[in-house]
């Protein structure tokens, strides 16, 4: 059983011992880096009204930029995340950090919507660093505490996702959305390079560069548990994405009439749910992933009608935000722990899992934007409910 201070090596791949910080400090650095880099994917969501005003467009007409970011992340995961099984993690993280920072800088100076969308796609495709770090944490953790360690990094990731809405909205209102992008570029550069320095580094690459990508279909076919985790998280993440990426349109619209900064503060309700991650990790270690995921889906199903009611009643919107975030975090901890431990190639399996989740999120976000334009907030809630059904239905019968 590997201890928290050793590194498990797949298929005899030689590893150069790195001077890593103490285990607690190392895990904290990885969690903070995950928070900062994951925030880049959702940077545009709270800034849509400001971007629309800058480009002379309606907010609902540019809502698709949020789905472009998620789609870019899914594409980046497909190509870069499998390299965690074979490539030099340190060099890979450093290179992706530089590309992300440059793309965010280009987004800050984008002259139009198309240029901004292209910059967001590149930045999101390169900011896959959290999904290179999570398999590393799972490899280093003791088996009986693996889900807790994974949950610590996931808590950082979700803090970044929700924090992007809160801080992005406040900073955007105060300084403009372009300065938010510039600030994100600087933070990404600093945290990404600091993390790369302390990562263990393989001396040489084993096998073809994209062997993990080629192996994805066979890995999915050989592991029903991985397939189930992928489908369930795609449904859960799609439901969350439909609601969360459209929320700024509701809050700044005629129903509530809030400013971008005030709407961004709404993310604090979701931020409280990030505390669920350590609890979910302990429950997974004790009771297994399946029970935790079932409970999470039940909570998410309750949150959808609460969101619909929240179109007119603020307290329902507050309760729904906490519930859906808690469900998403618990589901993610359980499903990702299962994905990382169900095959002998954790980075490749993790790629399949996260790509499925973000592809589901991107599709739901795009459909939610259309639904909001034609049917209002009720259409967005219908999309979220549909995605929960699609995520749970095909996996409810054991294969």
């Amino acid at each position: 059983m590997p201890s928290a201070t050793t590194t498990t090596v797949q298929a005899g791949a030689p590893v150069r011992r790195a001077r890593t910080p103490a285990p607690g400090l190392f895990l904290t650095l990885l969690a903070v880096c995950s928070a900062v880099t994951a925030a880049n994917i959702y940077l545009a969501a709270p800034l849509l009204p400001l971007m629309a005003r800058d480009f002379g467009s309606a907010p609902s007409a540019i809502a698709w930029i949020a789905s472009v970011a998620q789609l870019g992340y899914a594409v980046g995961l497909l190509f870069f995340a499998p390299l965690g099984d074979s490539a030099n993690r340190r060099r890979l993280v450093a290179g992706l950090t530089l590309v992300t920072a440059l793309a965010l800088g280009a987004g800050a100076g984008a002259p139009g919507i198309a240029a901004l969308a292209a910059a967001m796609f590149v930045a999101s495709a390169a900011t896959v660093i959290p999904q290179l770090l999570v398999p590393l944490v799972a490899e280093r953790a003791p088996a009986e505490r693996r889900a807790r360690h994974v949950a610590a990094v996931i808590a950082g990731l979700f803090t970044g996702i929700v924090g992007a809405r809160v801080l992005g909205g406040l900073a955007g209102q105060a300084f403009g959305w372009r300065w938010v992008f510039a600030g994100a570029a600087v933070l990404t550069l600093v945290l990404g390079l600091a993390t790369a320095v302390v990562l263990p580094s393989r001396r040489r690459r084993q096998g073809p560069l994209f062997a993990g990508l080629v192996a994805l279909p066979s890995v999915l076919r050989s592991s029903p548990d991985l397939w189930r985790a992928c489908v369930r998280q795609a449904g859960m993440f799609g439901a969350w994405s439909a609601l969360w990426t459209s929320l700024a349109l509701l809050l700044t619209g005629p129903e509530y009439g809030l400013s971008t900064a005030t709407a961004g503060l709404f993310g604090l309700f979701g931020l409280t749910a990030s505390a669920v991650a350590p609890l979910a990790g302990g429950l997974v270690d004790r009771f297994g992933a399946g029970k935790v995921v079932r409970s999470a889906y039940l909570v998410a199903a309750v949150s959808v009608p609460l969101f619909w009611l929240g179109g007119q009643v603020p307290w329902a919107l507050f309760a729904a935000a906490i519930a859906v975030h808690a469900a998403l975090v618990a589901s993610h901890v359980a499903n990702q722990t299962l994905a990382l431990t169900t095959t002998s190639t954790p980075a490749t399996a993790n790629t399949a899992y996260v790509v499925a989740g973000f592809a589901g999120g991107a599709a739901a976000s795009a459909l939610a934007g259309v639904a909001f334009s034609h049917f209002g907030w009720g259409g967005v809630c219908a999309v979220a409910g549909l995605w929960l059904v699609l995520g749970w239905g095909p996996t409810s019968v054991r294969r």
Side-chain angles (χ1 to χ4, degrees):
M1 181 184 302
S3 70
T5 58
T6 61
T7 301
T8 302
V9 183
Q10 294 292 333
V15 175
R16 181 166 64 248
R17 292 184 180 274
R19 294 181 179 179
T20 59
L25 182 59
F26 181 72
L27 195 61
T28 300
L29 177 60
L30 266 58
V32 173
C33 181
S34 296
V36 170
T37 51
N40 295 331
I41 313 164
Y42 295 95
L43 206 58
L47 302 172
L48 288 176
L50 299 177
M51 293 174 178
R53 188 169 61 215
D54 192 11
F55 294 128
S57 177
S60 58
I62 66 168
W64 56 273
I65 290 180
S67 61
V68 166
Q70 291 181 334
L71 182 60
Y73 192 58
V75 171
L77 287 167
L78 191 62
F79 285 96
F80 298 128
L83 300 180
D85 282 329
S86 57
N88 186 317
R89 276 195 186 100
R90 184 183 298 172
R91 294 178 182 175
L92 185 58
V93 167
L96 291 173
T97 294
L98 292 174
V99 173
T100 303
L102 289 173
L104 287 171
I113 296 176
L116 176 61
M120 283 299 301
F121 183 88
V122 174
S124 300
T127 189
V128 297
I129 293 171
Q131 302 310 328
L132 294 170
L133 302 180
V134 172
L136 173 64
V137 170
E139 290 172 10
R140 292 168 59 94
E144 71 276 6
R145 299 182 62 192
R146 183 171 291 124
R148 291 179 178 88
H149 283 218
V150 170
V153 180
I154 290 176
L157 186 149
F158 277 100
T159 299
I161 291 175
V162 180
R165 172 172 293 279
V166 178
L167 297 179
L170 288 172
Q173 190 73 27
F175 306 107
W177 68 267
R178 295 183 186 275
W179 282 107
V180 175
F181 272 68
V186 173
L187 281 175
T188 298
L189 188 64
V190 172
L191 268 298
L193 294 182
T195 300
V197 168
V198 302
L199 292 180
S201 176
R202 283 183 171 87
R203 291 176 182 169
R204 60 186 175 89
R205 179 171 49 84
Q206 300 291 313
L209 182 61
F210 292 109
L213 176 60
V214 174
L216 275 176
S218 62
V219 170
L220 274 170
R221 284 196 303 268
S222 64
S223 177
D225 282 338
L226 176 60
W227 173 85
R228 190 174 294 108
C230 289
V231 175
R232 286 179 176 176
Q233 198 60 21
M236 178 69 74
F237 195 68
W240 178 88
S241 297
L243 294 164
W244 204 244
T245 57
S246 304
L247 190 59
L249 304 178
L250 172 69
L251 294 176
T252 58
E255 292 84 356
Y256 284 90
L258 302 180
S259 67
T260 302
T262 306
L265 288 174
F266 194 85
L268 291 172
F269 291 95
L271 191 60
T272 61
S274 296
V276 170
L279 174 62
L283 292 174
V284 171
D285 284 332
R286 184 174 181 181
F287 298 109
K291 291 182 179 180
V292 175
V293 175
R294 283 194 293 273
S295 300
Y297 256 82
L298 180 61
V299 173
V302 171
S303 75
V304 172
L306 280 175
F307 266 112
W308 174 79
L309 182 62
Q312 296 83 29
V313 183
W315 70 262
L317 206 57
F318 301 156
I322 295 174
V324 78
H325 275 84
L328 177 65
V329 171
S331 173
H332 187 41
V333 169
N335 281 322
Q336 191 162 34
T337 301
L338 183 62
L340 290 169
T341 55
T342 193
T343 73
S344 60
T345 53
T348 301
N350 188 58
T351 299
Y353 166 75
V354 183
V355 166
F358 273 87
S365 294
L367 186 58
V370 175
F372 187 86
S373 298
H374 290 83
F375 306 105
W377 183 242
V380 173
C381 295
V383 172
L386 174 63
W387 248 249
L388 289 177
V389 172
L390 293 176
W392 186 260
T395 64
S396 58
V397 179
R398 192 165 187 85
R399 297 174 67 190

